[in-house]
Every structure is written in structure tokens, then in C-alpha cells.
Amino acid sequence: MRHALSPTVLAELRRPRRYPAVSILMPTHRREPDNAKDPVRLRTLLAEAKEKIQADPAVSRADRIDVLEQLDRGLSEVDLVHAEDGLAILAAPGEHQVWSFGRTAPARVVLSDTFLTRNLVAAQAAERPYWVLAIAADRVVLWGGNQERVTEEAGHGFPLVRTPDVPDPQRQERTGGTPSTFSDEETKSFLRQADTEIGKVLATDRRPLYVVGDASALALLDAVGSIAKEATEQIRHGGLAHADAETVRQVVAPALRAQADREIDDALARLDAARGRQEYAAGLDEVWQAAGDGRITHLVVEEQFRAIVRADGEHLVPAEADEPGAREDIVDEVIERSLDTGAQVTFVPDDTLSQAGHVAAALRY
């Protein structure tokens, strides 16, 4: 069961598949007693998906057998003991994926030529993902974090490890001392390589970057490359290149909170400026229409805002979940549409936008 969403992963999930691409989505629960019904709901949705596949004349016999097997494999990978707020089982001919994510999703089974990804897209945006680069003279480690966890990235060229050279006694006699760990050319080359590798990571998955190390390490990284200067914040704290995930999380937590506060203040200031220019939308109906027109430049939405609506002509009206045409993930749809058209999305604490209907946007025009 996978957790680490990224723009690259989402782009791969959203590419067209051979029919049928099956999407099973459902809400899950982290604690008792709410999680007691999750296994039953999952089996019910899986049975519904299999019935739809077997009853669809557009699905060939070979693809039917394949996709049914992919769904069973996906089911075997589900771990409801460590569930978050939403679950997605995605299957198509020759492949399956299982995703757990920290945002609820309505129970749904969809057969199409693409996977249903709006809930995954919204979850990735809400997680506020970030990078932590922990540097030392002999080791550079990349950590990926979000609001739920911090995990060491075993890829992207990381971790970088070297064995520092043993000091040469004859050289010490000539120079009159032991060279500093962060002044020798081998260490400079090592950190220059780290600078290059993290640059590649940011080129494909741009997130806030927190660079952590002692003062000498940070100074040398500043001197040999450009990434440290562009980091969201540099944190003076040695030892994290050899630390565990919980230690890393605790060290960066104050910087994350400060950055989140700055982002919220900036988002609200942008909304005020947009209101003054009359380039502003507030409330779900107005924002939904603006998202559909590709007009949103900055979407601001409360973290727990949800709404069930149906389309009544050109407008949205409140609806019940079992009502025909009800759309339970309309907020996630707005988030996905906004991101697709290049908008920035900021989540703010609940009740921050109570006077604006819990969601607002700065518009392009």
C-alpha cells in the first residue's frame, strides 16, 4: 500500500489506460469504532466493481480475467490496520496500485479509460509535502515529509556517502596542522555533488526545502552551489545525516509551522488584494464556476471543508448523499481543476474563511 504521492506519480496515474481502468475509492478510518465497518465496505465495493466488469460487453474475456486478478492482488495489499482517511484501489489490464491518503473520499466504483484521481490530487496538495536535506562531511540524506510522516528517500541519488581521507602526517608537518573537515577539496566536491543531485530532485518535484547541518557544513554548501541559498530555510543542527525519522521530524517542526503561518498570511493578503481589484470569487458555487473557466490563480480552502451538491443548470445547490446527481467530492474536483490550470492552492484552518463560504479564490480576470 503506497503513501508517497508526488506530481510525477500523479501524472503517471492520470495518463490514459486501456479500458477498463477501474477505480475503487472509499473513506477509511484510523480508530475504533469507526474503522470496524471499513472491511465490509471494501468487500462490497470490490464486489460491485467485479459485477460491472463482468456485465460490460466492451470488456474482452482476456481483459476481464486480467483485471479481476489485478483487483484481487490489490485487495491483498490493503492494510486497513494502518489506514489513513481515504483508500484507492486502481486496476487496469496488466497493472494495479493501492493508495492510502490523508483525505477522505466518497465510496465509488468507476470504469473508464483513465483512473479517477481527483481525491489523490487534492490529498497531495493538502499534505503540504516538503524535502529535508541533512548534510555532513561523510553523508548527505534526503528526507521526504508531509503532515503525517517523514521518510528517508532511498532514491534520487541519495543517500550520498563517502569515507573521508585519513589525514597525512607529513602534510600536517608541512602545513602546521590538521586541515578542517570542511575546507579540503574532497569534501567540497562531495557537497557539490549533493547540490547537483538535489537540484535534479527539485526540477521534477518542487517542494519547500529545509537544509539541515552544522554551521560549517551549511557554509560550505552555500559556497559550492546554489541550492542552499534557494532553500526555504537553513537549520543549524548537526547529526541529522545519521538520525532517525522522528528526530528529523522534531527538528524541522518549528520551521514547518512558521512557514505554514507565512503561507496562510500571504494567501489571505492575496485574497484581500484580489477583492480590491474585483478579481475575487467566494463560496463554492462562484469558485466552482471560476475553476471551470480556468480563471483561478490562487485557491484558498479550509482544511476540512466538504460539501455535497448537485448541478442545477449552471449553479450548484445543496444535496443529500443519496440524491440522484449528488457530487460528494466537489471540493476535491475544484482543487484538481485549479491545479490543472496552473493555480496555487493553499489550505487554511477551519473557520478562517467562514465569511466567504469556506472557500475563496483570486482570479486572473
Side-chain angles (χ1 to χ4, degrees), residues 43-301:
R43 289 195 296 270
T44 299
L45 290 171
L46 186 67
E48 179 185 341
K50 289 183 175 182
E51 289 177 5
K52 285 187 174 183
I53 294 168
Q54 291 170 332
D56 192 335
V59 181
S60 69
R61 181 178 181 277
D63 284 346
R64 181 171 64 250
I65 294 171
D66 185 357
V67 174
L68 292 177
E69 181 179 342
Q70 298 292 342
L71 287 173
D72 286 337
R73 289 180 183 176
L75 178 63
S76 70
E77 296 173 11
V78 173
D79 179 11
L80 292 176
V81 174
H82 299 97
E84 298 176 80
D85 301 307
L87 175 71
I89 300 178
L90 310 175
E95 65 174 316
H96 71 277
Q97 298 187 36
V98 179
W99 289 92
S100 176
F101 47 94
R103 189 172 175 85
T104 192
R108 171 176 300 180
V109 174
V110 176
L111 273 63
S112 184
D113 56 0
T114 58
F115 292 137
L116 182 65
T117 59
R118 67 175 61 127
N119 307 109
L120 294 169
V121 170
Q124 198 267 342
E127 285 176 347
R128 298 189 181 99
Y130 58 90
W131 297 117
V132 179
L133 188 70
I135 58 174
D138 61 342
R139 183 176 172 86
V140 178
V141 182
L142 180 65
W143 300 82
N146 57 36
Q147 295 192 95
E148 295 290 332
R149 65 184 67 82
V150 175
T151 306
E152 182 178 345
E153 293 290 320
H156 304 294
F158 293 96
L160 296 174
V161 181
R162 67 181 280 261
T163 302
D165 294 336
V166 177
D168 182 355
Q170 294 181 347
R171 181 181 183 277
Q172 293 180 34
E173 290 179 3
R174 293 194 304 270
T175 60
T178 302
S180 167
T181 303
F182 289 100
S183 64
D184 66 86
E185 289 303 320
E186 289 80 6
T187 304
K188 291 179 181 178
S189 177
F190 179 63
L191 292 189
R192 191 176 294 113
Q193 180 186 359
D195 182 87
T196 299
E197 296 301 330
I198 190 61
K200 294 176 183 177
V201 172
L202 293 176
T204 59
D205 189 355
R206 174 67 63 172
R207 308 182 189 179
L209 172 66
Y210 299 86
V211 181
V212 188
D214 62 29
S216 298
L218 293 174
L220 183 57
L221 190 64
D222 268 338
V224 300
S226 61
I227 292 299
K229 300 181 185 70
E230 300 172 6
T232 303
E233 187 166 337
Q234 295 186 20
I235 302 172
R236 292 188 178 185
H237 193 293
L240 288 197
H242 299 272
D244 58 26
E246 179 58 21
T247 302
V248 173
R249 188 193 67 78
Q250 292 179 10
V251 169
V252 302
L256 293 175
R257 288 193 294 269
Q259 177 63 16
D261 290 342
R262 288 192 293 269
E263 290 177 356
I264 291 169
D265 290 343
D266 178 65
L268 297 179
R270 290 190 184 189
L271 290 180
D272 285 340
R275 188 185 295 110
R277 299 191 305 269
Q278 296 186 336
E279 295 175 350
Y280 172 82
L284 186 55
D285 186 44
E286 282 187 22
V287 171
W288 172 71
Q289 293 183 56
D293 294 337
R295 298 172 58 205
I296 294 179
T297 183
H298 196 153
L299 176 69
V300 185
V301 57

